[in-house]
Amino acid sequence: MDIHGFLLPAARTAGVDVVPAELVWWLDVETMNTWQSGTAASLANNRAALEGMTDYLASTGARIGLYSTGQQWQQIVGWVPPGSPLYELDSWLAGALSRGEAALHCSDTPLTAGGDVVLSQYVVERDGRLLDHDLPC
């Protein structure tokens, strides 16, 4: 994630005026990505990496949120203490298989105790493909 080395040049090439501070940056925390695993130290290292991303993005004035499922979050990050910059970030929960299930996920526990669930993602099958949709909570 390099705002100046990747996003801004790509946006200029596409003719899009992007101001990073005007965007919400969702940190994608999924098991299909590369994370350390297996120990408490691994969880702490993963949390530290996300905290560093959060600190950097916050220094640009950007808003930050967390995207994951509860299960994947626990497996990758675990508990987040109140002093962490992740603690009050809002959650975008993935994993629902229908709009109705997504609506139920809006009342799930957020990924961190200090945040809120603000979006719930669900899939819809169309023409044999699964398409992601998001429901504001």
Side-chain angles (χ1 to χ4, degrees):
M1 173 185 55
D2 182 352
I3 291 172
H4 301 288
F6 176 73
L7 174 68
L8 297 180
R12 274 192 297 277
T13 299
V16 177
D17 185 27
V18 173
V19 178
E22 293 176 356
L23 303 173
V24 177
W25 293 80
W26 294 97
L27 303 182
D28 186 2
V29 182
E30 298 180 74
T31 54
M32 69 180 69
N33 299 338
T34 302
W35 299 99
Q36 293 184 12
S37 63
T39 66
S42 296
L43 296 178
N45 290 340
N46 294 339
R47 187 177 73 238
L50 291 164
E51 288 169 341
M53 291 177 204
T54 299
D55 285 344
Y56 173 74
L57 288 167
S59 77
T60 71
R63 293 173 294 148
I64 306 109
L66 304 168
Y67 171 83
S68 193
T69 66
Q71 181 274 328
Q72 291 181 89
W73 181 263
Q74 288 305 311
Q75 183 178 340
I76 295 166
V77 180
W79 179 74
V80 174
S84 169
L86 304 175
Y87 186 76
E88 293 185 356
L89 298 182
D90 288 332
S91 300
W92 174 7
L93 298 182
L97 299 176
S98 69
R99 183 179 176 87
E101 187 178 341
L104 294 173
H105 284 296
C106 285
S107 61
D108 282 356
T109 301
L111 299 171
T112 62
D116 294 308
V117 176
V118 298
L119 286 168
S120 181
Q121 187 175 72
Y122 63 101
V123 294
V124 172
E125 183 179 348
R126 186 170 296 140
D127 300 325
R129 298 181 334 183
L130 294 177
L131 303 173
D132 292 337
H133 291 272
D134 298 306
L135 178 71
C137 294

